Amino acid sequence: GSWLAQAFGWRMALLAVGLPGLLVAVIFKLFAREPARGLSEGGAEASELAIPTREALRILLANRTYRQIMFGGSVCAIATYGMGFWIPSFLIRNHHMPIQQVGFWWGLIFGVSGLIGAMLSGYLVDRLGRRDPRGILLIPVVSLLVAIPFQVVAINADSKILALAFFLVPTIVYNGWIAPMFMLSQSLVPVGVRA
């Protein structure tokens, strides 16, 4: 995408990476089949699986813990995705990196470290959840607090190499909220409301 943006502008890059997604969506719609509901639910009754949308929303909104987790997850998403999408512009403006170079390095850093962070938070959810489910809520808090000093150093770094190096830790821990949020939200609701 960054190579296309450098050569042809961001609009052409957006079209080039977006159009194949539309093709995949059409292929998926034509050939993918919805699996039977309840196959992985350990013998859930059909009545547990067939909850109308209005009733499902009522159940979700009535659950105070669920509402708080969704609010916290939304705040985390705004903060972490906002930073993730702002950093390439920062690197271009402050470190005068060409868009193609930013696309390569930021894509590599954000992609690899984001995957590591998501897997690490999933591992921690499994470990902490066995001992005390409340410990799961510490993962997003600690993750975002750990990111702050590294983010400050990266933003104030004089060199692009130092900035990129210090962005590694925040991008690993940015995803620390995802596994806890999804695991806890799924565990708080009946089977028929999970989707």
Side-chain angles (χ1 to χ4, degrees), residues 14-75:
L14 195 60
L15 279 172
V17 298
L19 287 177
L22 292 174
L23 178 62
V24 170
V26 169
I27 292 169
F28 188 81
K29 176 72 174 159
L30 292 174
F31 297 106
R33 299 292 170 243
E34 181 76 23
R37 294 192 72 184
L39 291 178
S40 62
E41 303 301 341
E45 297 293 323
S47 62
E48 293 176 298
L49 300 174
I51 297 176
T53 303
R54 184 173 288 182
E55 177 65 13
L57 289 172
R58 190 195 62 70
I59 291 168
L60 291 173
L61 294 175
N63 188 321
R64 180 175 180 243
T65 305
Y66 179 83
R67 289 192 319 263
Q68 290 173 338
I69 289 171
M70 290 302 107
F71 177 77
S74 298
V75 170

Side-chain angles (χ1 to χ4, degrees), residues 4-168:
L4 289 170
Q6 178 119 6
F8 304 106
W10 67 269
R11 289 174 183 86
M12 184 57 69
L14 195 60
L15 279 172
V17 298
L19 287 177
L22 292 174
L23 178 62
V24 170
V26 169
I27 292 169
F28 188 81
K29 176 72 174 159
L30 292 174
F31 297 106
R33 299 292 170 243
E34 181 76 23
R37 294 192 72 184
L39 291 178
S40 62
E41 303 301 341
E45 297 293 323
S47 62
E48 293 176 298
L49 300 174
I51 297 176
T53 303
R54 184 173 288 182
E55 177 65 13
L57 289 172
R58 190 195 62 70
I59 291 168
L60 291 173
L61 294 175
N63 188 321
R64 180 175 180 243
T65 305
Y66 179 83
R67 289 192 319 263
Q68 290 173 338
I69 289 171
M70 290 302 107
F71 177 77
S74 298
V75 170
C76 288
I78 290 168
T80 59
Y81 290 132
M83 287 301 293
F85 292 124
W86 170 78
I87 289 169
S89 295
F90 166 79
L91 293 170
I92 291 167
R93 292 177 187 144
N94 287 43
H95 293 287
H96 311 290
M97 292 175 68
I99 192 169
Q100 189 174 359
Q101 191 178 44
V102 169
F104 175 78
W105 285 109
W106 187 243
L108 186 65
I109 289 170
F110 201 70
V112 173
S113 59
L115 178 64
I116 291 168
M119 293 177 74
L120 179 63
S121 72
Y123 171 78
L124 291 172
V125 162
D126 287 343
R127 294 279 308 214
L128 294 173
R130 276 186 236 129
R131 284 188 239 151
D132 182 3
R134 292 174 296 184
I136 295 168
L137 295 173
L138 290 175
I139 297 169
V141 173
V142 171
S143 294
L144 295 175
L145 288 175
V146 164
I148 292 171
F150 288 91
Q151 193 81 39
V152 168
V153 171
I155 290 169
N156 290 298
D158 289 333
S159 80
K160 64 183 175 187
I161 303 299
L162 193 59
L164 289 169
F166 273 91
F167 279 133
L168 278 171

